[in-house]
Amino acid sequence: MLSTSALRAHLLAARLAGTVATSREESLRSYRLFAARDPRVLIGIDPEWAWSERDLIGLMADKCGVSGDPRCTTGLDVIDPERTLAALDVFAERLAAVAQRSGPVLIGTGHPHRLLGFYAALADALSAAGCTVLSPAHGRRVDITTRFGLRTYNLDYVRGVALVRAPDAKSSGGEPGAHTHSPLPVRTALAAAAESGGPLPELVIGDHGWVCGAGQLGFEAIGLADTDDPALFVGEAEGAVSVVVPLDDAVRSDYYRPLTRYVLNRACLSQ
């Protein structure tokens, strides 16, 4: 089993925590947009409370370990590895709980280039534990507004993990899917599951809009988030999201493998 101290060292060496690649400027811009209720940054969360930029800086300092000083406006963000480790432990507890009751799960990512392997390993382990890994609305069209205008994608599943692809992207041959923060894919999947009368997930696992969109609809949702994604941490603070793990969500995909081993071991789901 990967020890906590070994994982802490890996988090720092891979820059998953410690000094990360996300800039303070990027994060502050996201906080300003969130405070203004910009849907591009809300990504599915409808906050109950009024959140100012200063409030968000304080929240992110508490949840992630970034600087709580509003006068700090440049440089790279810092994530406290102790906060990452603590959140990974709670993340593993939620996996163990759904596995113990063989509950259905839905897993999706807006970061398939980086995080597909992490989530696919969770899907394999939960399936082996008796959970049904759901794949509703497979192939369904999803129209998402991007900075380039309205783009049409198709909902796809790879190794049990939902993602979106452009219609002309091949499902094989190395294209892992499109990067998106939108909550529309998870809303589409959950609506299709409800319409079909099939099982609804007892746990939604993912990032970005997959977590926020599901949590806002009342589903238990857990996931990963970087320092420039305040919506997930606001959702956690307000009770819409169950667990958020603070880390850099855009490093090399193989750097997440030790996290996979750690989480599955903690959840007693190692294969």
Side-chain angles (χ1 to χ4, degrees):
M1 178 176 175
L2 187 68
S3 69
T4 301
S5 60
L7 182 58
R8 182 188 297 107
H10 172 73
L11 291 172
L12 294 172
R15 295 184 63 183
L16 285 156
T19 301
V20 295
T22 309
S23 72
R24 180 69 166 181
E25 292 92 334
E26 290 177 85
S27 295
L28 291 176
R29 177 179 180 274
S30 292
Y31 306 162
R32 286 192 294 271
L33 291 173
F34 190 97
R37 302 281 178 125
D38 189 312
R40 294 172 298 175
V41 183
L42 295 178
I43 58 176
I45 284 291
D46 183 12
E48 294 182 7
W49 309 337
W51 291 89
S52 68
E53 182 181 356
R54 186 178 288 270
D55 292 333
L56 292 164
I57 291 172
L59 173 72
M60 299 302 283
D62 179 58
K63 294 290 188 179
C64 301
V66 303
S67 173
D69 185 353
R71 296 169 297 181
C72 175
T73 58
T74 61
L76 297 176
D77 267 337
V78 174
I79 295 176
D80 178 5
E82 298 302 326
R83 288 172 169 83
T84 304
L85 290 166
L88 283 171
D89 288 346
V90 184
F91 185 99
E93 289 173 6
R94 302 319 304 150
L95 294 180
V98 76
Q100 286 167 6
R101 59 181 186 269
S102 298
V105 298
L106 177 64
I107 306 174
T109 182
H111 258 305
H113 295 75
R114 307 296 185 185
L115 291 167
L116 179 58
F118 174 79
Y119 294 122
L122 302 187
D124 289 344
L126 289 167
S127 178
C131 296
T132 300
V133 180
L134 303 174
S135 56
H138 193 175
R140 188 76 58 88
R141 170 176 167 164
V142 184
D143 293 325
I144 298 175
T145 300
T146 72
R147 58 179 174 168
F148 306 108
L150 190 67
R151 293 289 184 268
T152 295
Y153 296 95
N154 292 328
L155 188 60
D156 197 4
Y157 288 84
V158 177
R159 295 175 58 196
V161 183
L163 48 86
V164 295
R165 300 183 192 277
D168 56 353
K170 295 180 180 179
S171 60
S172 60
E175 172 51 53
H179 174 240
T180 180
H181 286 219
S182 174
L184 293 177
V186 75
R187 290 175 184 167
T188 300
L190 292 171
E195 290 164 5
S196 69
L200 293 172
E202 294 184 13
L203 182 66
V204 177
I205 305 164
D207 47 61
H208 294 164
W210 284 92
V211 173
C212 292
Q216 186 64 41
L217 291 173
F219 293 88
E220 183 178 10
I222 64 175
L224 316 177
D226 208 332
T227 59
D228 60 348
D229 289 324
L232 288 88
F233 297 100
V234 168
E236 185 180 38
E238 293 190 349
V241 172
S242 181
V243 183
V244 186
V245 179
L247 50 71
D248 190 323
D249 59 8
V251 302
R252 281 174 33 179
S253 58
D254 57 315
Y255 287 172
Y256 298 98
R257 290 175 189 160
L259 277 70
T260 307
R261 295 198 301 272
Y262 181 84
V263 164
L264 293 181
N265 274 314
R266 296 285 293 189
C268 300
L269 291 171
S270 297
Q271 295 173 297

